Amino acid sequence: MGEHSTTKFPQEILDQWAGLGLDLPALFSAGHLGERMSVQVTEAAPDRVVGTMPVEGNTQPYGLLHGGASAVLAETLGSVGSMLHGGPTKLAVGVDLNCTHHRSARSGLVTGVATPVHRGRSTATYEIVITDEHDKRVCTARLTCMLREIDADAYRG
């Protein structure tokens, strides 16, 4: 999906997913919705996922960053972290997302950083902090994903 060729994965993730014949940057991208919103996942590991999104094109009628856009960025990053934690035999399914919007953004790029709060066998919870270009916190979100067992062939469609 879109411009995802700059996603950095740690070697242990590349090794873990090797042999499945998958395009990891595409699998761990923002998907079609994220592509429309120009979300870029730039760094992806179970302990830290980083992504960016432009404010322009993702605003509400008053010209401010839409809270739903922040939620899309947060859920994307937390889901990627959860999937990487679960590995090739688990599928992460979001079951709870909450977002607190601290300040508005009118322009530029926002950056989200997802870090784990809990990484278990059946659930994973990530805190996602979204900041503006001045490193001011725009939003704090928390995502919990259920981790479901799957056959790794499921990724192939």
Side-chain angles (χ1 to χ4, degrees):
M1 308 275 129
E3 300 281 329
H4 54 256
S5 59
T6 60
T7 305
K8 295 181 204 160
F9 295 95
Q11 189 60 48
E12 64 265 16
I13 293 299
L14 297 174
D15 294 343
Q16 183 182 27
W17 290 79
L20 294 177
L22 299 172
D23 177 359
L24 286 188
L27 182 62
F28 297 116
S29 72
H32 294 291
L33 177 60
E35 184 176 315
R36 280 188 220 119
M37 298 176 70
S38 300
V39 171
Q40 299 290 312
V41 178
T42 59
E43 183 182 325
D47 60 344
R48 179 179 158 92
V49 181
V50 179
T52 61
M53 180 181 66
V55 173
E56 185 177 336
N58 294 311
T59 58
Q60 36 91 311
Y62 302 111
L64 304 174
L65 177 64
H66 196 291
S70 294
V72 167
L73 179 59
E75 184 154 358
T76 298
L77 301 178
S79 293
V80 168
S82 295
M83 289 285 290
L84 290 170
H85 164 65
T89 63
K90 301 250 178 135
L91 178 67
V93 180
V95 295
D96 182 64
L97 172 67
N98 71 65
C99 301
T100 300
H101 306 288
H102 305 291
R103 70 179 47 222
S104 60
R106 290 188 173 276
S107 63
L109 202 64
V110 292
T111 299
V113 178
T115 54
V117 174
H118 167 77
R119 290 188 292 179
R121 288 180 318 206
S122 61
T123 62
T125 300
Y126 281 75
E127 178 184 61
I128 304 93
V129 175
I130 300 173
T131 57
D132 64 16
E133 290 179 323
H134 305 288
D135 208 29
K136 301 272 188 182
R137 191 177 292 223
V138 173
C139 176
T140 303
R142 188 185 70 237
L143 173 72
T144 298
C145 289
M146 176 177 59
L147 301 174
R148 297 180 50 196
E149 291 284 339
I150 61 164
D151 185 328
D153 289 334
Y155 290 109
R156 294 188 184 102

